């Protein structure tokens, strides 16, 4: 069918012009842009007609002879009559022109047919005028607004968001990351505004005809990809950073939020400086601006020299920013600044290797935050979050490899997912740990130097690192990184390593297979092979800090796993643990006896002799194995029973993460009462140890205890542990009693989200209205977000329904950037779930139009629904809904497969494990 269509399109194009049989989604390769001269005039005066227009002059080098110029343009008006084309170098300097143009909307192509053939080796200059309306779709060159508190008037600003493929909505260009060019940008705007772009401004002149308008010209950029180009016209103010070394560093926000800029203004340059040391390469631009945009879809975007953020990802307020928000701000800034090297200086050739950008930025951000705030124990938390995410997402058959072929533009957006970010960063960490510091750093440095201002693919990275590792002796000479790492980046999934000990011979046999959550997948589909670095320790050695591999699981030429036996293990009364500190993303299953030894230690005073990261690993592994039947729930509950003693963050994080998946549907099942009692039994000791939700923050020394307290409080209130609900309600009551609640908030910062949610869940209509008013009045974006999510906790059907109907309203009270998260919060609530499901099914058409062209949002709103469906009947209903909504859910193939597989695994769990699990809980309820 696809082929027939392709042929039809090809034929129809042939019919129009003989040249255009080209119907491939990648640009033809006959031409290379070298330089763009971009002039853009932004009109923000007339609220009814916010628009921009401009011209782009592109200097092109012909690599092959060609009679057409194919570039990207989407939703732009182009006045064909004003297009010019001339030859600027090469012999002859013949006249040239554009004879006709056509568009190929499937690929956003704008195709210009030239009067004369362009000749290989010559250079040309193409000039195109363009214009468009400034819309609020959060991509391309778009408008954003805020209300000025003094005049109560709406103020308009503009910003770009080009990644991955939206530069084409702002100006005609060769919009692929491999086409690096230099950019000479000039912005025209009313002189009451400021214009910013990637480079510093070099001159400002009055506009030739428009009164009070200026042209601001920026310095020429370094060679860069189109998706990193950025500009903004705004009336913001800024804070300059005080760090004296390094480039000029400014942080911008709307005037009423300027005092929320200090934090990022100080953190940014520190982390930039750390990267200069880490990579051994100076930041190449003369300045960095970071700017907080009121309407911004992503958390942040790494535009070279002009990094854009949503307000909640950049702005910090002492009174309103919780420690969790503070960590998010620091890690977001660290992430975007890491991209200045990984992504901006060296860019992936094509989106297939997006993980080189996102995986690195995610990993390196962890190093950056850890360096600047060592007391946060950030790296271990980031590592754990990443691994927990990988173990979940990549356990689905419908997952995909880190490095994935991209054959359609829609697949580019799909790639910004947990696999690129979290699995990407996990395999980089694995490499860092098995190569050691020196090889890792020197390999990266030579890679960055070699490909600076150019493009690279993963093989280039393997090569630089292998060279460095062989030189330093940190990798056996007969191993190369390509063989090892291809098994991690080109294959979907991760291995489960089975360890079967021979207790008398003191050996262990190791084997591997892919771990699948979906039990319908046959053994045949599990026989993949990974190169697995094996570190391990035992009850007597306990050298958990040694993450260097003692051995490897290897694969033969056919991709089969080679058998492996480990010897010199301890005696029969001692446990062993593999994968010290979870240095690689794999699961480990042991024989029953080893599990039993582990359970004994965990449930004793000695439990802390097992490293905290490995305690978290044991919990995650055993709960997964119980889910899919590799272990039974007796063993799994035997492991997590020790949590009654546990006082550290990571094991709790791991446990909550897994128990959440069961809790999501157990809440709706008749045996819930047992689960609830069981959860109470587990949580009560830690809740009391942390002093509940009382404001004890000034006495907590360790930062990660604050995180733990917040996490425990939210579970405690939803399982009605101890005084949690009463305390939450009483905090909320004292807030309501404040004469000026927008100035004074007695609710402790660390538990605000939880207190608000619990109070709305148990509260009155007036409580809802009170909180909604606080949303309207708040001047700190993260506080607004916290409130929006808490408002979804109501159990009052009409309130929830009314709230649902406020979400997808163009120019409504809820910003488009927040709509996905509000819908998700409603769907995660038991009452909201049914309403949200129905609302989506009834309104799928208008919702998908609301998000256009960002269709990915549709997959995000299906996700929380799929996590709570667990019966075959509801599975079939959802499947029917999806097949009836083909048009609205277009280009979401991957997300749909994942959604359906998620539901299927829930159904499997219910059918296989519900009764076994209930019986196991009942036994644990009466024991110890
Ligand atoms: N390069 C991305 C921004 C992006 C995301 C562009 C998705 C296009 C599609 C940026 O570096 C990023 O990763 N932002 C994250 C936040 C970060 C701290 C993980 C985001 O926006 O969620
Ligand atoms: Zn990123």
């Amino acid at each position: 069918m696809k082929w027939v269509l392709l042929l039809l399109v090809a034929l129809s194009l042939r019919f129009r012009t003989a040249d255009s049989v080209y119907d491939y989604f990648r640009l033809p390769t006959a031409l290379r842009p070298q330089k763009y001269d971009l002039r853009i005039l932004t009109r923000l005066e007339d609220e009814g007609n916010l628009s921009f227009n401009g011209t782009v002059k592109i200097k092109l080098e012909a690599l092959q002879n060609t009679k057409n110029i194919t570039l990207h343009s989407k939703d732009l008006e182009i006045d064909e009559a004003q297009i010019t084309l001339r030859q600027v170098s090469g012999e002859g300097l013949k006249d040239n022109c554009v004879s006709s143009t056509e568009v190929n909307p499937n690929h956003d192509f704008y195709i210009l047919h030239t009067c004369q053939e362009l000749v290989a080796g010559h250079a040309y200059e193409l000039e195109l005028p363009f214009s468009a309306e400034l819309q609020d779709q959060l991509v391309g060159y778009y408008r954003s607004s805020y209300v000025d508190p003094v005049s109560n008037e709406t103020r308009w600003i503009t910003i770009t968001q080009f990644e991955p493929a939206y530069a084409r909505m702002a100006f005609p260009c060769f919009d692929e990351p491999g086409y690096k060019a230099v950019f000479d940008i000039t912005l025209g705007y009313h002189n009451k505004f400021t214009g910013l772009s990637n480079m510093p401004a070099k001159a400002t002149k009055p506009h030739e005809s428009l009164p009070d308008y200026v042209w601001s010209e920026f310095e020429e950029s370094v060679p860069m990809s189109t998706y990193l180009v950025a500009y903004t016209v705004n009336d913001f103010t800024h804070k300059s950073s005080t760090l004296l070394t390094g480039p000029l560093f400014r942080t911008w926000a709307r005037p009423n939020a300027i005092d929320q800029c200090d934090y990022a203004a100080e953190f940014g340059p520190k982390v930039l400086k750390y990267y200069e040391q880490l990579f051994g390469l100076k930041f190449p631009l003369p300045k960095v601006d970071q700017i907080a945009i009121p309407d911004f879809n992503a958390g942040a975007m790494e535009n070279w020299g002009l990094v854009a953020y949503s307000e909640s990802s950049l702005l910090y307020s002492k009174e309103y920013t919780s420690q969790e928000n503070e960590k998010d701000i620091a890690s977001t800034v660290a992430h975007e600044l890491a991209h200045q090297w990984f992504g901006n200086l060296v860019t992936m050739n094509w989106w297939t290797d997006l993980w080189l950008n996102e995986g690195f930025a995610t990993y390196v951000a962890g190093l950056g935050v850890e360096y600047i705030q060592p007391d946060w124990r950030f790296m271990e938390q980031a590592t754990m979050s990443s691994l927990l995410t990988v173990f979940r997402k990549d356990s689905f058959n419908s997952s995909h490899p880190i490095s994935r072929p991209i054959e359609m533009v829609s697949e580019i957006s799909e790639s910004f997912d947990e696999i690129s970010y979290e699995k990407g960063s996990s395999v980089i960490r694995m490499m860092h740990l098995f190569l050691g510091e020196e090889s890792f750093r020197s390999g990266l440095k030579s890679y960055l130097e070699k490909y600076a201002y150019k493009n690279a693919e993963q093989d280039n990275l393997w090569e630089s690192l292998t060279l460095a590792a062989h030189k330093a002796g940190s990798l056996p000479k007969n191993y190369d990184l390509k063989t090892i790492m291809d098994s991690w980046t080109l294959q979907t999934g991760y291995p489960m390593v089975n360890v079967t000990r021979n207790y008398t011979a003191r050996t262990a046999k190791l084997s591997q297979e892919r771990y699948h959550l979906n039990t319908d997948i046959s053994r045949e589909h599990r026989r993949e092979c990974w190169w697995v670095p094996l570190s391990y320790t035992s009850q007597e050695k306990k050298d958990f800090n040694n993450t260097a591999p003692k051995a490897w699981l290897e694969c033969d030429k056919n991709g089969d796993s080679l058998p492996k036996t480990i010897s010199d293990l301890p005696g029969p009364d001692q446990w062993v643990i593999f994968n010290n500190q979870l240095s690689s993303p794999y699961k480990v299953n042991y024989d029953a006896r080893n599990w039993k030894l582990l359970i004994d230690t965990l449930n004793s005073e000695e439990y802390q002799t097992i490293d905290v990261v490995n305690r978290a690993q044991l919990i995650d592994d055993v709960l997964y194995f119980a889910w899919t039947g590799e272990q039974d729930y007796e063993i799994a509950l035997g492991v997590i029973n020790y949590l009654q003693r546990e006082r550290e963050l990571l094991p709790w994080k791991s446990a909550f993460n897994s128990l959440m998946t069961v809790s999501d549907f157990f809440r709706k099942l008749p045996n819930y009462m047992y689960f609830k009692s069981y959860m109470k039994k587990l949580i009560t000791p830690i809740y009391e140890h942390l002093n509940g939700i009382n404001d004890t923050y000034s006495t907590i020394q360790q930062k990660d205890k604050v995180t733990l307290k917040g996490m425990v409080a939210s579970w405690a209130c939803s399982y009605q542990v101890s005084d949690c609900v009463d305390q939450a309600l009483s905090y909320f009551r004292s807030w309501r009693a404040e004469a000026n609640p927008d100035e004074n908030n007695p609710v402790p910062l660390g538990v605000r989200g939880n207190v608000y949610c619990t109070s709305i869940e148990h509260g009155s209509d007036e409580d809802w209205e009170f909180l909604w008013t606080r949303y309207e009045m708040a001047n700190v974006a993260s506080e607004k977000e916290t409130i929006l999510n808490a408002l979804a906790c109501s159990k009052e059907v009409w309130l929830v329904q009314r709230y649902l109907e406020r979400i997808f309203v163009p120019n409504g009270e809820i910003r488009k950037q927040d709509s996905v998260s509000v819908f998700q919060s409603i769907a995660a609530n038991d009452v909201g779930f049914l309403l949200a499901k129905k609302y989506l099914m009834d309104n799928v058409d208008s919702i998908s139009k609301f998000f256009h062209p960002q269709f990915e949002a549709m997959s995000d709103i299906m996700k929380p629904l799929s996590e709570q469906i667990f019966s075959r009947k509801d599975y079939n209903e959802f499947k029917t809904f999806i097949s009836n909504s083909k048009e609205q859910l277009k280009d979401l193939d991957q997300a749909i497969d994942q959604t359906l597989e998620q539901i299927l695994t829930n159904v499997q769990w219910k059918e296989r494990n519900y009764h076994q699990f209930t019986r196991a809980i009942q036994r644990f309820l009466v024991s110890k």
Side-chain angles (χ1 to χ4, degrees):
M1 184 62 194
K2 224 171 171 177
W3 286 110
V4 177
L5 267 178
L6 214 76
L7 198 74
L8 281 177
V9 176
L11 282 176
S12 69
L13 286 179
R14 177 178 281 274
F15 188 68
R16 290 173 61 181
T17 42
D19 248 3
S20 330
V21 279
Y22 191 85
D23 192 37
Y24 181 54
F25 76 107
R26 296 289 302 270
L27 290 173
T29 52
L31 300 169
R32 259 203 95 81
Q34 289 175 332
K35 184 178 174 203
Y36 290 82
D37 267 301
L38 191 55
R39 280 171 85 80
I40 295 159
L41 184 77
T42 301
R43 310 293 300 252
L44 290 173
E45 301 303 86
D46 171 7
E47 202 173 89
N49 180 26
L50 304 173
S51 63
F52 66 95
N53 65 285
T55 54
V56 60
K57 248 189 240 168
I58 312 175
K59 187 171 174 202
L60 300 164
E61 182 192 349
L63 303 176
Q64 291 151 22
N65 292 5
T66 179
K67 276 213 75 182
N68 75 68
I69 304 173
T70 302
L71 38 68
H72 289 110
S73 169
K74 184 175 162 76
D75 299 342
L76 291 173
E77 287 269 334
I78 297 177
D79 181 358
E80 206 179 307
Q82 288 187 52
I83 299 176
T84 63
L85 173 68
R86 60 191 188 98
Q87 186 184 333
V88 291
S89 85
E91 35 184 92
L93 291 184
K94 276 203 232 110
D95 282 348
N96 209 332
C97 60
V98 170
S99 54
S100 67
T101 66
E102 61 175 311
V103 293
N104 179 339
N106 288 339
H107 307 309
D108 307 330
F109 286 163
Y110 188 72
I111 304 158
L112 305 102
H113 299 281
T114 61
C115 304
Q116 310 289 331
E117 183 164 60
L118 309 185
V119 180
H122 294 184
Y124 299 85
E125 189 182 87
L126 171 70
E127 184 169 338
L128 296 143
F130 57 88
S131 63
E133 224 179 283
L134 283 162
Q135 299 195 41
D136 67 348
Q137 75 287 61
L138 309 177
V139 292
Y141 186 41
Y142 70 92
R143 62 181 151 89
S144 169
S145 67
Y146 66 94
V147 175
D148 172 48
V150 180
S151 63
N152 211 19
E153 282 168 7
T154 299
R155 299 266 187 260
W156 294 101
I157 68 141
T158 61
I159 181 71
T160 50
Q161 170 56 42
F162 289 171
E163 193 180 18
Y166 299 114
R168 62 191 67 175
M169 293 178 76
F171 61 95
C173 57
F174 293 76
D175 198 10
E176 291 186 0
Y179 286 115
K180 289 199 176 186
V182 298
F183 288 84
D184 207 330
I185 296 176
T186 305
L187 297 178
Y189 47 85
H190 191 283
N191 64 16
K192 69 182 176 195
F193 291 108
T194 307
L196 300 172
S197 183
N198 306 84
M199 299 298 287
K202 72 174 181 203
T204 304
K205 302 195 255 280
H207 190 276
E208 55 286 358
S209 55
L210 285 172
D212 300 325
Y213 268 65
V214 291
W215 284 115
S216 185
E217 190 181 349
F218 298 87
E219 284 174 25
E220 185 174 291
S221 79
V222 294
M224 59 194 266
S225 305
T226 46
Y227 80 88
L228 292 168
V229 172
Y231 37 92
T232 162
V233 172
N234 64 68
D235 58 358
F236 286 2
T237 46
H238 72 272
K239 279 269 166 82
S240 295
S241 305
T242 55
L243 193 73
L244 293 173
T245 55
L248 173 69
F249 208 114
R250 298 177 297 187
T251 303
W252 299 76
R254 63 191 155 81
N256 198 32
I258 191 63
D259 54 349
Q260 299 171 36
C261 288
D262 294 318
Y263 182 84
E266 297 312 312
F267 188 86
K270 280 192 213 156
V271 78
L272 194 80
K273 193 168 166 193
Y274 167 72
Y275 293 147
E276 290 186 333
Q277 288 158 10
L278 177 73
F279 304 134
L281 288 172
K282 281 243 156 292
F283 177 73
L285 306 188
K287 65 95 179 170
V288 182
D289 286 305
Q290 4 183 50
I291 184 164
I293 307 295
D295 302 272
F296 200 74
N297 202 48
M301 175 64 211
E302 69 266 25
N303 312 308
W304 216 348
L306 175 54
V307 188
Y309 296 80
S310 67
E311 286 198 355
S312 61
S313 298
L314 189 70
L315 303 182
Y316 174 96
S317 137
K318 208 165 162 303
E319 290 79 35
Y320 288 97
T321 304
S322 67
Q323 190 197 287
E324 294 318 291
N325 295 145
E326 179 183 352
K327 278 197 283 188
D328 289 345
I329 295 169
S331 69
T332 306
V333 171
H335 177 110
E336 303 314 330
L337 294 178
H339 273 311
Q340 310 297 307
W341 285 264
F342 282 100
N344 301 9
L345 186 64
V346 178
T347 312
M348 68 262 143
N349 255 338
W350 179 240
W351 299 104
T352 296
D353 282 325
L354 173 69
W355 80 278
L356 287 177
N357 273 14
E358 299 302 347
F360 260 104
T362 304
Y363 182 63
V364 170
L367 299 177
V369 176
E370 183 77 27
Y371 177 80
I372 291 162
Q373 299 285 0
D375 59 320
W376 288 1
R377 297 174 71 178
F378 182 84
M379 196 55 182
E380 68 178 33
Q381 292 167 49
T383 300
M384 185 54 65
S385 301
S386 287
L387 285 166
L388 293 177
T389 307
V390 174
F391 288 143
R392 176 133 303 269
K393 294 287 153 186
D394 221 17
S395 65
F396 288 109
N397 196 39
S398 49
S399 183
H400 63 85
I402 291 183
S403 177
R404 60 182 293 215
I406 302 258
E407 277 139 19
M408 279 188 297
V409 175
S410 60
E411 290 176 346
I412 307 175
S413 296
E414 256 177 17
S415 299
F416 287 82
D417 66 357
E418 292 88 348
I419 299 300
S420 299
Y421 283 72
E422 265 64 55
K423 194 177 182 194
S425 75
S426 300
V427 303
I428 294 162
R429 171 173 175 267
M430 165 174 85
M431 219 162 48
H432 192 172
L433 294 178
F434 76 66
L435 289 176
E437 196 62 28
E438 190 194 324
S439 316
F440 185 70
R441 281 199 188 205
S442 69
L444 288 189
K445 180 163 194 261
S446 57
Y447 166 78
L448 288 170
E449 273 171 348
K450 186 164 175 191
Y451 297 100
Y453 305 109
K454 301 199 190 84
N455 295 82
E457 51 194 22
Q458 62 174 24
D459 283 356
N460 304 130
L461 178 67
W462 308 147
E463 196 181 81
S464 298
L465 284 166
T466 304
L467 269 176
H470 283 163
K471 203 163 142 209
S474 62
L475 188 73
K477 279 272 186 309
N478 57 335
Y479 279 28
D480 67 81
L481 275 175
K482 180 170 164 57
T483 313
I484 297 170
M485 295 307 292
D486 277 355
S487 78
W488 294 95
T489 61
L490 301 180
Q491 282 190 117
T492 309
Y494 56 83
M496 166 173 74
V497 172
N498 289 305
V499 177
T500 315
R501 290 177 64 182
N502 180 331
Y503 289 84
T504 41
R506 302 197 168 194
T507 58
K509 265 204 178 127
L510 267 56
S511 64
Q512 59 166 307
E513 61 186 277
R514 176 164 173 206
Y515 180 80
H516 278 281
L517 201 60
N518 181 346
T519 46
D520 287 351
I521 306 289
S522 70
R523 282 214 98 77
E524 303 311 303
H525 284 94
R526 296 167 186 252
R527 282 216 191 101
E528 280 120 311
C529 184
W530 285 262
W531 284 73
V532 184
L534 298 167
S535 56
Y536 51 90
T537 191
S538 65
Q539 196 159 356
E540 60 185 11
K541 292 230 174 64
K542 300 189 196 75
D543 55 342
F544 286 97
N545 284 338
N546 185 2
T547 52
K550 289 201 180 87
W552 287 79
L553 271 182
E554 300 179 351
C555 314
D556 68 13
K557 291 230 152 39
N558 305 321
D560 291 323
S561 185
L562 294 169
K564 183 94 207 163
T565 303
I566 306 273
S567 38
D568 297 327
L569 290 178
D573 53 346
Q574 312 262 312
W575 47 253
V576 297
I577 288 184
F578 276 74
N579 205 8
N580 293 353
Q581 297 202 46
L582 267 175
S583 36
S584 307
Y586 62 92
K587 293 196 162 289
V588 191
N589 199 3
Y590 304 99
D591 54 60
R593 183 162 177 174
N594 198 63
W595 275 118
K596 176 79 179 48
L597 292 166
L598 287 165
I599 289 173
D600 289 347
T601 298
L602 284 171
N603 285 283
S604 75
E605 293 297 313
E606 306 273 282
Y607 75 95
Q608 293 188 58
T609 58
I610 299 176
D611 180 85
V612 66
V613 179
N614 287 92
R615 301 206 293 277
Q617 168 205 30
L618 293 171
I619 293 169
D620 191 65
D621 283 359
V622 83
L623 283 171
Y624 270 71
F625 298 149
W627 180 292
T628 44
E630 275 86 9
Q631 287 297 338
D632 60 42
Y633 269 108
E634 288 287 320
I635 291 202
L637 296 191
V639 170
I640 61 170
N641 195 46
Y642 99 95
L643 284 169
Q644 292 174 80
R645 300 173 186 272
E646 184 59 79
R647 302 290 179 260
E648 289 274 348
L649 172 65
L650 298 187
W652 277 108
K653 200 177 160 92
S654 167
F656 285 141
N657 178 66
S658 253
L659 290 169
M660 175 70 92
T661 56
V662 182
S663 161
D664 268 349
F665 43 84
F666 228 102
R667 287 195 316 234
K668 306 181 185 74
L669 288 166
N671 289 344
Y672 179 57
M673 55 187 279
Y674 303 112
F675 185 68
K676 193 167 161 181
S677 309
Y678 180 72
M679 291 303 288
K680 275 191 177 164
K681 184 172 174 182
L682 276 189
I683 298 168
T684 305
I686 183 74
Y687 179 79
E688 281 167 1
H689 170 78
L690 294 167
N691 223 321
I693 56 172
N694 294 328
D695 191 353
T696 55
Y697 289 99
S698 55
T699 64
I700 300 180
Q701 303 293 329
Q702 261 172 281
K703 292 276 192 172
D704 59 337
K705 281 275 154 65
V706 177
T707 308
L708 178 61
K709 185 169 167 129
M711 196 185 276
V712 168
S714 115
W715 279 77
C717 280
S718 61
Y719 281 89
Q720 294 165 18
V721 168
S722 183
D723 63 356
C724 195
V725 173
D726 291 342
Q727 275 287 31
L729 298 183
S730 114
Y731 276 129
F732 196 75
R733 265 196 307 276
S734 31
W735 190 21
R736 278 203 61 178
E738 283 288 343
N740 192 349
D742 298 314
E743 293 293 315
N744 304 314
N745 186 340
V747 186
L749 254 180
V751 288
R752 279 194 187 162
N754 178 33
V755 166
Y756 299 171
C757 175
T758 306
S759 307
I760 290 300
E761 180 182 343
H762 297 270
S764 61
D765 302 354
E766 290 76 30
D767 288 326
W768 203 98
E769 298 304 338
F770 169 81
L771 196 60
W772 175 261
T773 309
R774 304 288 75 74
Y775 163 69
E776 291 178 314
M777 302 302 289
N779 184 40
V780 177
S782 55
E783 173 75 355
K784 274 191 190 280
E785 277 178 15
T786 305
I787 295 178
L788 278 180
N789 294 329
L791 286 166
C793 297
S794 173
K795 298 271 182 262
E796 202 64 65
V797 174
W798 75 273
L799 274 177
V800 178
Q801 184 63 28
R802 187 183 66 175
Y803 197 29
L804 266 174
E805 289 174 16
R806 274 185 203 176
I807 303 180
F808 306 106
V809 179
N811 307 317
E813 290 155 301
I814 298 174
R815 290 182 192 263
K816 188 178 266 184
Q817 63 173 8
D818 298 320
S819 53
V820 168
S821 121
V822 176
F823 185 89
Q824 287 178 333
S825 300
I826 294 181
N829 156 356
D830 300 334
V831 171
F833 165 69
L834 289 174
L835 297 176
K837 186 161 73 130
K838 180 162 188 334
Y839 191 83
L840 172 64
M841 290 181 174
D842 292 348
N843 298 287
V844 63
D845 200 46
S846 61
I847 298 176
S848 82
K849 290 202 174 94
F850 175 81
F851 286 120
H852 180 81
Q854 284 178 295
F855 57 89
E856 321 84 77
M858 293 305 284
S859 63
D860 296 335
I861 69 174
M862 288 193 296
K863 193 169 159 272
L865 298 174
S866 68
E867 283 163 359
Q868 296 176 78
I869 297 175
F870 53 84
S871 78
R872 289 240 172 233
K873 186 168 157 285
D874 293 344
Y875 171 70
N876 289 332
E877 179 202 41
F878 212 75
K879 216 169 158 175
T880 310
F881 157 67
I882 285 174
S883 57
N884 290 344
S885 316
K886 283 226 165 61
E887 189 48 36
Q888 296 84 353
L889 302 176
K890 184 159 101 242
D891 292 336
L892 291 175
D893 301 359
Q894 176 183 296
I896 287 170
D897 290 350
Q898 288 172 352
T899 304
L900 291 174
E901 195 183 3
Q902 165 78 59
I903 304 179
L904 187 66
T905 59
N906 295 347
V907 173
Q908 291 167 349
W909 188 90
K910 166 83 188 345
E911 289 172 358
R912 285 167 51 104
N913 296 334
Y914 177 51
H915 293 294
Q916 194 213 4
F917 185 62
T918 310
R919 277 195 302 277
I921 303 179
Q922 283 168 325
R923 273 197 287 278
F924 272 89
L925 274 175
V926 292
S927 74
K928 305 148 256 178

